[in-house]
Amino acid sequence: MAGLRMRLITSSSSPFLIVRSRYLRAPTLPHRPTHTMAAHSQAIEEQTLPLYHRKYYYPVKIGQVFNDRYRIISKLGYGAYSTVWLAWDERSYSVKVVLIWAAVADLESRENEYTSLKVSVQVDNNNAELSPVLNEINVLQRLKQFADEDHPGLDFTRLARDIFETESLSGRHYCTAYKPQGNSTRILQEKFPNAITPKPLVKSLIHRLLFSVNWLHATCGVAHTDIEDQESQDPNLPITSTINKTMPIIVYKSKPTMLELSGLPILTDYGQMRVVEGCVNQDWWMSDLYRAPEVLLHLPWGFPVDIWSIGVMTLELLEGKNLFDPIDRVHGQYVLPLALAQYIGYLGPPPLSIIQKSPLFSTYFDAEGNWVSEPPVPKTSLEDFVTTIPPGQEKDQFSRFIRKILTWDPEVRATSNEVIPDEWLMRPVEEML
């Protein structure tokens, strides 16, 4: 171990080594980027978002230190409400080596030295109740109260390590530090031909996701409401953007992270999470391609919307395409009657007892619950949609699995407790190849 300097420390319980090495130093980073930045007249990264305004985003710089602790290394990504950065936690630089009997040394994990730092857009104090940023902060603080629970779902749920505020010239921003994670499921899916994810991998992802959702529902009393594959952006170097003619600004492009089929799937992104326990939710919610039928029908909704999303995501991973596509691509609009027709095509007619409660009933259905609107109901089924599982015992098992998840009635939709031991999820891997 050339280059190591060690000193032996003795404690009352056992001796251990503190290791310092030129190979284990914190990254030496300039406070300002030293590379040449190219001028760019086109919108890039967060600038491409529909509601982008430079004053909302904190102007993070490579080498900048947040909270006297987190030194920015590179940009990982961006979204409508934040940018995300890889940072070095300068307080955690301490590597221990434990001596085991015959002086065999083992380095302690260094994962705590790196942090994923999420820097929010400016917080609007005038609309605090509607702010996804404040909603996520409040939810993370709520989840922290239950983090000591002995539940397997905690292994698959991303919790905040640190939450603090910072100021920019335009206002207040929240910063959230997390354990760094890998790529999204969408990036993983795109690595396979035709975006068709192998069945054993799908089963493993969905099974673990159900444990996370079970913890959120049963222990924390919240629904995620936004479970789906996530997009990421193309990586490149920092660029000086000149789309604002009055003052050029620095916008960094995201760096890629290495994709490895290792580790655990982690549920993250809580900006759309809702408290369900003791509350009534009945507003228009969820992403367009994953929207549960009770939300579509303007009915009260709760925990079952997450189970619905998991079902839609399962089919998307297996088939490499979305189950529903109720979007007018010409005008970029969600078409509600098109969505209803597609849902009927795959699920069958909705129970009369359900749609009679909906304010949409008389608009799209007759008194007996028959569809009377345009467009026509497509002639299809969930079984027809699934082509990656050939007819036989496994497809029959999968059909039962997906049919108890994708239901019109949230009251009969299976809970996470009921789905976790499902026969298809528990099917031996060798029988799925």
Side-chain angles (χ1 to χ4, degrees), residues 297-350:
L297 293 169
H298 299 283
L299 297 173
W301 55 265
F303 297 128
V305 300
D306 284 342
I307 305 301
W308 171 273
S309 294
I310 290 174
V312 176
M313 181 178 176
T314 301
L315 291 171
E316 182 180 341
L317 290 172
L318 284 174
E319 296 298 317
K321 58 184 178 181
N322 297 114
L323 177 63
F324 303 112
D325 185 23
I327 308 298
D328 177 351
R329 301 296 174 185
V330 175
H331 301 95
Q333 295 178 339
Y334 185 86
V335 183
L336 193 148
L338 178 58
L340 283 170
Q342 291 178 3
Y343 282 40
I344 295 171
Y346 285 116
L347 306 181

Side-chain angles (χ1 to χ4, degrees), residues 66-79:
F66 282 82
N67 207 31
D68 296 324
R69 179 172 182 176
Y70 304 106
R71 185 180 295 276
I72 300 299
I73 297 174
S74 67
K75 188 177 182 182
L76 295 176
Y78 68 91

Side-chain angles (χ1 to χ4, degrees), residues 100 119 123 184 197 203 214 266 327 375 404 417:
I100 305 176
V119 183
V123 176
S184 69
T197 312
K203 186 183 74 167
N214 182 267
I266 303 295
I327 308 298
K404 63 185 178 185
N417 267 334

Side-chain angles (χ1 to χ4, degrees), residues 46-57 243 249 251:
E46 56 266 25
Q47 293 176 320
T48 63
L49 299 174
L51 300 179
Y52 170 80
H53 193 294
R54 59 176 294 179
K55 74 175 184 179
Y56 298 138
Y57 285 83
I243 62 169
I249 58 174
V251 177

Side-chain angles (χ1 to χ4, degrees), residues 34 71 115 177-178 245 272 283 343 348 353 369 389 391 403 419 428:
T34 58
R71 185 180 295 276
T115 292
Y178 299 93
K245 301 300 183 182
Q272 305 301 316
D283 51 340
Y343 282 40
S353 60
I389 304 178
R403 284 282 180 186
V419 179

